[in-house]
Amino acid sequence: MDRGERNAEPGRAVLRPAGEIDMATAGEFEATLTEALHRPGVREVVVDLADVRFLDSSGVRVLVHGVSVGRARDVTLRVTGPQPGVARVLRITGVSTLLGFADSDAGRPVARGWRGLD
């Protein structure tokens, strides 16, 4: 996983990981995310997943843990721009709403199939 960070407006950190977030890279991603959530003056952390082509349960765990850390610090964690495969993982695991993105962020309309996963 490559990690990238864009400068953002005051009070906001934007992380832009790239590649894969899996067992091998989740630790690095978690360290980067945790550091951003603990920065003085940060009120929102945005994780732009546009360049992440694969996300497994390790990555989902890091994001959910980030929400918990953020809530304890009064910092909002929000995910944007997931590729369709990554968005599907987040929908299947039921965390898309927790992470603050709508299905339209994944470039497709809200699903109408069984459990909304099609």
Side-chain angles (χ1 to χ4, degrees):
M1 176 195 79
D2 295 327
R3 71 177 226 195
E5 187 168 345
R6 295 184 299 188
N7 290 333
E9 58 211 48
R12 186 177 192 211
V14 179
L15 304 179
R16 192 175 173 111
E20 298 181 354
I21 302 176
D22 56 18
M23 272 178 58
T25 60
E28 177 186 352
F29 178 51
E30 185 168 23
T32 301
L33 180 57
T34 300
E35 185 274 325
L37 289 164
H38 282 88
R39 278 188 209 152
V42 168
R43 305 283 19 118
E44 178 182 41
V45 174
V46 177
V47 180
D48 182 350
L49 295 178
D51 294 327
V52 173
R53 64 184 178 274
F54 178 79
L55 178 83
D56 75 1
S57 61
S58 303
V60 173
R61 181 199 59 78
V62 171
L63 290 169
V64 171
H65 179 71
V67 169
S68 177
V69 170
R71 285 182 177 168
R73 299 188 49 76
D74 198 26
V75 176
T76 301
L77 173 67
R78 187 167 53 89
V79 167
T80 63
Q83 292 185 23
V86 171
R88 185 169 190 272
V89 168
L90 297 174
R91 279 194 312 275
I92 287 170
T93 57
V95 300
S96 58
T97 303
L98 177 69
L99 298 171
F101 79 88
D103 286 331
S104 61
D105 288 342
R108 64 182 234 166
V110 174
R112 301 286 182 232
W114 180 77
R115 290 184 49 202
L117 302 177
D118 296 333

